[in-house]
Amino acid sequence: MNRIGILTSGGDAPGMNAAIRAAVRNGIASGMKVFGIERGYEGLIDGDIYEMDVKSVADIIHRGGTMLQTARSERFMTKEGLDKAVMMTQSFGLDSLVIIGGNGSLTGALTLAERGIHVECLPGTIDNDLGYTDRTIGFDTAVNTVLGAVSNIRDTSSSHERTTIIEVMGRHCGDIALYTGLAGGAESVLVPEIPFDINAICVKIIQGRNRGKKHNIIIKAEGVEIDSFELAKTIQERTGVESKVVVLGYLQRGGSPSAEDRLFASRAGFKAVELIKDGIYDRAIGLAGNELVHYPLADALKIPTKAATDYLDIIDVLS
Ligand code: F6P
C-alpha cells in the first residue's frame, strides 16, 4: 500500500486547498494512506505529519489559503535541514510526496528527488512564474482580486482627476500587472522584464488630460526597481497631476479561488495520485492551454518564465 505525504510551501495561493482535497480523496479512493505535512518543508523537517481521511478535506474547496499551512523554510536550504527532511520522510514510511508551491518550493522538491524521494509537483503560486506551465494555481484568482481593486480605484481616481499607481505582486514576473493592466484598462503597466520610460508615462498623462481624461491608472509590479512613492512624486512634479499610490499587498493572496483555479487544482491534485499509481515519479504537472501536462521536474524547472509582455503594445494603443 502506498503511503503518500502532501505539503504546501512558499507563498499561499487560492486553489491550494482544492489541490490538497483532490490528492487526498483520490489517494484514499486508490487505497493509499495519505498524510498531511504541516507548514511545508518546515513540518517535514520537524515531523509535523498526520494521517488524513476523506473528512479531513471537507468544506475546503472554496477556501483561500492552505489548510496544511505553509512556510518559506530557511532550514530546508541547509544540508542538515535536507538530511532531516529525508530522514523524516523515511521514518514515516512515505514513499511519495505531493508538493504544491512556486519556483523555490519546486526547486526544493528537486533536491528531495535527487536524494531518492519520489515527488509529484503542482504549481501553486499567484505569480504565474513557472515557465513550464501556462498557468499556476492561484494566478487567476489574484488577477480577479486585483481587477476588483482597480475598478474601485478608478472611480475615485476619476472623481479627483488623479494618477494612481497600483503596486501589485510579482517579484520576478510581470504577469499579474500585465493581465490586470489589459483587463482593467490601465494607462501604463510597469514590469520587471522591460525597462520603463518615465518620459513616455508623463507624456501619456499630459496627452490624456488634454483630451479630457479624468484618471490615470498605472499598474506597477513590485519587482520593478523603483519605489512606487518616489515614482508618484516624480510623476506629480513633471505632470502637475496629483499622484497617489496604492500597494495592494497580501490581499492579492487570499480569497475564494476562481472556477479556473479550482478546476486546475482539482485536476492536478487528482493527476498527482494517478502518476504515483502508474509509477511515474518526479514530475511537474501543469497546463498547456486547457490540457493537463506533466514533465520531468528537472527539465520543467529549466524552462524560463515568459511573461505576457506582448500585452504592453495592446495596452498602449487601447488606453
Ligand atoms: O511568491 C508569491 C508572492 O506573493 C510574491 O509575489 C511576493 O513577492 C511574495 O510572495 C511575498 O511573500 P511573503 O509572504 O514571504 O512576504
Side-chain angles (χ1 to χ4, degrees):
M1 183 197 276
N2 282 105
R3 293 166 64 90
I4 68 169
I6 304 176
L7 65 84
T8 50
S9 165
D12 60 352
M16 281 181 162
N17 278 329
I20 296 167
R21 170 180 176 270
V24 169
R25 292 210 166 148
N26 193 23
I28 291 169
S30 305
M32 298 176 179
K33 277 195 174 292
V34 182
F35 295 82
I37 301 165
E38 293 182 307
R39 291 175 290 106
Y41 295 121
E42 284 287 295
L44 188 59
I45 293 169
D46 292 336
D48 292 334
I49 299 170
Y50 66 98
E51 188 171 350
M52 300 178 87
D53 61 21
V54 172
K55 273 190 8 210
S56 320
V57 289
D59 204 29
I60 62 166
I61 193 168
H62 60 299
R63 297 189 197 282
T66 161
M67 66 157 306
L68 289 175
Q69 317 298 132
T70 187
R72 298 190 192 277
S73 176
E74 298 284 335
R75 286 190 293 161
F76 185 69
M77 315 276 224
T78 64
K79 172 154 180 348
E80 298 71 44
L82 180 61
D83 285 348
K84 263 194 113 182
V86 170
M87 193 265 287
M88 277 297 173
T89 308
Q90 288 161 349
S91 343
F92 276 82
L94 303 177
D95 42 65
S96 302
L97 299 179
V98 176
I99 294 174
I100 309 165
N103 217 318
S105 306
L106 268 49
T107 304
L110 184 59
T111 61
L112 285 172
E114 284 163 357
R115 296 282 299 263
I117 309 278
H118 298 320
V119 297
E120 308 294 359
C121 293
L122 275 63
T125 165
I126 64 163
D127 285 359
N128 210 34
D129 63 348
L130 283 158
Y132 80 86
T133 177
D134 287 351
R135 280 284 173 284
T136 56
I137 295 165
F139 174 69
D140 183 64
T141 307
V143 164
N144 283 299
T145 303
V146 172
L147 273 182
V150 170
S151 303
N152 289 9
I153 292 164
R154 183 195 268 270
D155 290 344
T156 173
S157 197
S158 285
S159 306
H160 289 265
E161 298 178 59
R162 286 172 175 156
T163 290
T164 307
I165 298 171
I166 303 176
E167 184 180 300
V168 300
M169 279 185 167
R171 266 175 305 189
H172 309 294
C173 178
D175 267 355
I176 295 179
L178 291 159
Y179 278 63
T180 55
L182 180 53
E187 275 62 40
S188 304
V189 171
L190 277 52
V191 292
E193 292 84 353
I194 307 274
F196 71 96
D197 178 356
I198 183 76
N199 293 324
I201 292 171
C202 292
V203 165
K204 192 150 199 195
I205 291 171
I206 292 163
Q207 284 173 342
R209 186 185 54 194
N210 292 346
R211 68 170 210 263
K213 206 165 203 178
K214 299 273 185 262
H215 63 261
N216 280 283
I217 299 292
I218 300 173
I219 302 194
K220 173 185 167 287
E222 65 176 334
V224 175
E225 284 201 0
I226 181 170
D227 178 76
S228 297
F229 292 90
E230 278 300 313
L231 181 64
K233 196 161 157 263
T234 308
I235 290 172
Q236 181 162 319
E237 278 164 11
R238 293 205 191 177
T239 61
V241 175
E242 191 182 14
S243 301
K244 299 279 182 187
V245 177
V246 178
V247 179
L248 292 181
Y250 293 103
L251 81 81
Q252 296 162 90
R253 288 242 295 257
S256 182
S258 67
E260 194 178 295
D261 280 329
R262 294 185 203 192
L263 286 167
F264 177 27
S266 300
R267 292 169 72 198
F270 183 90
K271 183 70 182 180
V273 170
E274 296 299 298
L275 290 171
I276 294 167
K277 275 156 68 176
D278 292 342
I280 304 170
Y281 300 121
D282 304 342
R283 309 295 284 188
I285 301 169
L287 271 187
N290 194 36
E291 195 193 335
L292 205 64
V293 289
H294 54 90
Y295 307 103
L297 179 58
D299 297 346
L301 290 174
K302 285 188 198 130
I303 300 174
T305 310
K306 200 183 164 302
T309 48
D310 52 321
Y311 286 7
L312 288 173
D313 291 338
I314 309 177
I315 291 164
D316 196 38
V317 173
L318 299 191
S319 61

